[in-house]
Amino acid sequence: MSAGSKSLSDVLARDVAYSGEGISVRSLEDNIQEERTVQDTKVGELKVLRDRNVVIQTAMADELKKLRKFSDYIDGTATKGGFWAGFKEVVSYIPGFKSIAISKRSIEELLKQQYQVSAKRVKEAAGYCDVLKQSEQELYTEINRINGKIVEAAENERRALEYVLDLRTMQEELEAELQTIEAGSVEARKIETDQDRIRALLAEHSTNVQLYGAAENRYASLKENTRKLAETIRNLAQDIQQYTTAASIKLDMASAQIQAIGRAADASVVMLEMKKSLDVMTESMNVTTQFVSDTQIFFRQNLDKLVEELETFDEGTSALLDENLKKSKEIEEARIQSAIDKAMANRAKQVDGGGASAPAEG
Amino acid sequence: MNELVTLHTQALRGAVVPAYLDKLIAALRAARLNNTFPDRRRVQGSLETLKLAMEAGLYDQLYVDARAGLPNMASFTRVLTDHELAGGSLSRMSETAHYEQKRDEAEVYAQLLQKRRYFEAIQGQPYAPLDEHRVQLRRHDPATGTAEFRLDLTKLDATGLYVRITIELTQVASAWRRKVIDLDADGESAAANEAFHATVYRNASYDAEHLFIHMHDIEGVSVDRVQRGVIGPVLFRLPREGEPTNPVVPAEPDKGNPRLGHAWRRWLESASSDAPELLMCFQTDIAARDVREEKSNDPIEDLLSTSIQDSERARYQHTRERFPFKVFKDRKFVVTRGTEALARAVCQAAGTKNLIYRVR
């Protein structure tokens, strides 16, 4: 036992250096929960945006309705009572203007007010684009962090597997040695003591094999969901940017026409030109309305599905953790065996691959 | 940049933008504006906000009215909406320290840092309205049923100019209780009714004489004074880096004021300065009972009486005889070194003596 004793003491005394903060069922659960909280926050932000989107859509639709009415009535096609009768009805859509005779209002002033409201709505939407871009960037940072965790878990799993294999070898050697010694002798008792120590180490490190393996897989799933969320946010931000840019350019280009036509309309001179100017503004609102309508469908189709997937994932991981806790006692031997099988398979794969490093020797 | 991008609109980009805004701000400060004009601090606040916004990269270009030479409605609306949304945006954004820490990580953080600093900088700062209408009760005598009011309208006019109109008028009891300006139950505060408000608004582009006659014709109203203070037009010559012979200039100065536009074009032919040059006008136009002598000291805008057609003169004189007021028009200029001679030549040609302030 002299040569084996040195090897045995080395193996038993080996300090297996796992990187990171160490792992337990509880700490893994806590870490995963922490990562989930980040996702939940982002999903929460998206939900707020979805609600806000509805508000913007409603407001935009109202503005579009007013502008279209303006346009139709100025065209003289929408009312039998002529332009002024129609115009009076149009203005009644604007808060506070319901009871005012239209001939008493300045059209230039009304149009400027409408222009200002429209510009504000477009800018509000653009503001949400900033929020989304920041969220997207934070999620990519999160993905980098999760990648670090995945690599760390994979490396720790490999260390655990290598140690489990060494312990198993040692266990087999001791078993063989025990057969050659008289049962109940001092030597036999010493070997049994070493076997118990090895069993304890096997239990501890085979648990690590499973925990680090589970951590690697679950972090990988978490990363996949985070990536989906980031892509969802990026697509949405791009859509918003595209539409706000288009709308604000149209508004910028329309401002001088709106003033000019408002002034002309006030002078009751060039009514038809007013329609031309309003068409520019209406076009901008059309882009906007199309966008909000599209994004609502996008939300309905994607966000709910994403949330559902995340919830399913959550239930799955919790169940796995519960099961681990409940059955850990009963399946210890099976787990050790499973870890050894995995380690053996891993070693075989490394030998086949020819490039992997050999397990550390005691 | 000298071409129109849409009706009466030029788009300024790059280094000429801060040069242009700095000159405008300096000119406003130098002009010593009294309360006849739109509030100088608020207009200046808007220009400073525009400068900050351009520096922060929030906008690619500054839209300028090609006739008036001032930022146009789209540009002034940017300032308004940014002020309206600043508080809400800041509450949704992360703290400055967060963006400072992460600005090298990704471009988006650097952009958001700029935007946050911009919103923080403009919060609580003054800015000019597109339109603002106020009515003040000056005196109220319930015994005689007489009330004196001052109407105040500030407007970014469709001509591209910033205009302030102040009308002092008196209402007589039987009329004012029903129309034009309404007093509250306590007789302490007043508001113009919509029709009267609209009448003033619609006529804001016309001169004080026109407004006086128009208002005075309303039943139950006696006008005491109409005064207009107008900021603009502005003429500028902004050299472009690497293109000394192709400076940025207003595209439609003749539509701002034909007489000034003509003189400006002549001046441009010999202008060769490397520095930004600017000439900014500040007009006052008063029609009031207490003006002693009817006169225009405005070298680029005559009195209505001098331009009336012969066929209309008799009718005009008859109208004027009905109203006890006189008109006084004046204009002061703020100039840079290069445009001072132009301003002096314009005044000399018209035989007027005007205040001319120099900015660097």
Side-chain angles (χ1 to χ4, degrees), chain A residues 104-106 108-109 112 115-116 120 123-124 130 134 137-138 252-253 255-257 259 263 266, chain B residues 6-7 59 63 78 81-82 84 94 99 106 109 115 131 155-157 194 197-198 201-202 205:
Chain A
K104 293 179 180 173
R105 296 294 306 166
S106 159
E108 182 191 348
E109 191 178 16
K112 278 166 83 177
Y115 178 84
Q116 198 177 326
K120 188 178 167 185
K123 204 166 272 185
E124 275 177 334
D130 293 338
Q134 184 176 340
Q137 191 54 47
E138 284 166 358
D252 283 342
M253 292 298 109
S255 77
Q257 277 107 322
Q259 275 186 297
R263 189 185 183 196
D266 273 353
Chain B
T6 183
L7 181 70
Y59 305 107
Y63 292 112
R78 285 175 176 176
T81 50
D82 282 347
E84 285 173 4
S94 303
Y99 294 133
Y109 293 119
K115 203 165 190 175
D131 295 323
K155 178 187 178 189
L156 178 61
D157 195 56
E194 295 293 342
H197 167 91
Y201 192 93
R202 279 196 289 251
S205 302

Side-chain angles (χ1 to χ4, degrees), chain A residues 96-349:
Chain A
F97 287 65
K98 203 167 261 182
S99 60
I100 296 165
I102 186 58
S103 58
K104 293 179 180 173
R105 296 294 306 166
S106 159
I107 295 170
E108 182 191 348
E109 191 178 16
L110 285 175
L111 287 174
K112 278 166 83 177
Q113 286 169 358
Q114 189 60 50
Y115 178 84
Q116 198 177 326
V117 172
S118 304
K120 188 178 167 185
R121 293 282 182 227
V122 170
K123 204 166 272 185
E124 275 177 334
Y128 276 91
C129 193
D130 293 338
V131 176
L132 288 173
K133 280 182 179 171
Q134 184 176 340
S135 282
E136 183 201 348
Q137 191 54 47
E138 284 166 358
L139 284 172
Y140 280 119
T141 305
E142 198 57 25
I143 286 172
N144 280 341
R145 217 168 71 82
I146 294 172
N147 273 329
K149 293 253 184 196
I150 291 170
V151 171
E152 184 181 275
E155 285 174 351
N156 285 340
E157 186 193 13
R158 190 173 68 188
R159 282 191 194 104
L161 283 168
E162 287 167 359
Y163 192 44
V164 162
L165 275 182
D166 287 350
L167 288 168
R168 181 64 169 179
T169 306
M170 205 52 61
Q171 195 180 38
E172 284 168 359
E173 284 176 13
L174 287 173
E175 187 60 37
E177 199 174 341
L178 192 61
Q179 300 305 319
T180 63
I181 298 171
E182 184 189 349
S185 66
V186 173
E187 285 74 18
R189 295 300 181 204
K190 281 183 179 173
I191 288 172
E192 283 168 3
T193 304
D194 288 340
Q195 279 184 317
D196 286 341
R197 290 175 66 192
I198 285 176
R199 231 174 259 125
L201 285 168
L202 265 175
E204 180 191 341
H205 291 278
S206 63
T207 301
N208 283 349
V209 168
Q210 196 168 44
L211 282 173
Y212 283 121
E216 183 186 343
N217 292 333
R218 289 169 61 218
Y219 278 128
S221 301
L222 198 64
K223 184 180 82 168
E224 186 54 25
N225 281 304
T226 306
R227 192 184 55 74
K228 277 187 204 169
L229 196 56
E231 281 174 7
T232 304
I233 288 174
R234 185 177 58 218
N235 290 336
L236 186 58
Q238 280 173 348
D239 286 351
I240 291 180
Q241 188 157 36
Q242 224 166 8
Y243 115 83
T244 51
T245 303
S248 62
I249 287 172
K250 294 215 180 282
L251 284 173
D252 283 342
M253 292 298 109
S255 77
Q257 277 107 322
I258 282 163
Q259 275 186 297
I261 298 306
R263 189 185 183 196
D266 273 353
S268 302
V269 185
V270 215
M271 290 300 175
L272 283 177
E273 276 189 49
M274 185 183 233
K275 174 171 170 48
K276 192 179 167 192
S277 172
L278 285 168
D279 281 346
V280 179
M281 215 163 157
T282 304
E283 196 184 329
S284 144
M285 292 301 123
N286 274 334
V287 175
T288 301
T289 302
Q290 185 61 42
F291 163 77
V292 284
S293 167
D294 288 349
T295 43
Q296 278 221 312
I297 294 166
F298 176 82
F299 271 127
R300 273 199 294 273
Q301 288 177 345
N302 293 283
L303 187 61
D304 290 340
K305 193 171 162 229
L306 192 65
V307 170
E308 198 181 305
E309 278 175 10
L310 289 171
E311 279 165 4
T312 308
F313 169 74
D314 199 26
E315 285 164 16
T317 50
S318 299
L320 180 67
L321 290 168
D322 289 346
E323 194 184 358
N324 278 348
L325 285 167
K326 192 178 167 189
K327 295 184 179 172
S328 61
K329 195 86 177 169
E330 291 89 349
I331 62 168
E332 189 174 283
E333 282 303 318
R335 182 159 47 76
I336 290 170
Q337 191 54 50
S338 158
I340 289 167
D341 291 346
K342 189 173 182 182
M344 293 296 281
N346 195 42
R347 176 171 286 179
K349 209 184 292 175

Side-chain angles (χ1 to χ4, degrees), chain B residues 75-88:
Chain B
S75 296
F76 278 111
T77 303
R78 285 175 176 176
V79 176
L80 278 170
T81 50
D82 282 347
H83 273 282
E84 285 173 4
L85 298 176

Side-chain angles (χ1 to χ4, degrees), chain B residues 176-193:
Chain B
W176 69 258
R177 284 197 188 280
R178 289 186 293 117
K179 299 293 172 196
V180 186
I181 295 175
D182 299 317
L183 278 172
D184 67 4
D186 299 327
E188 288 173 354
S189 64
N193 71 28

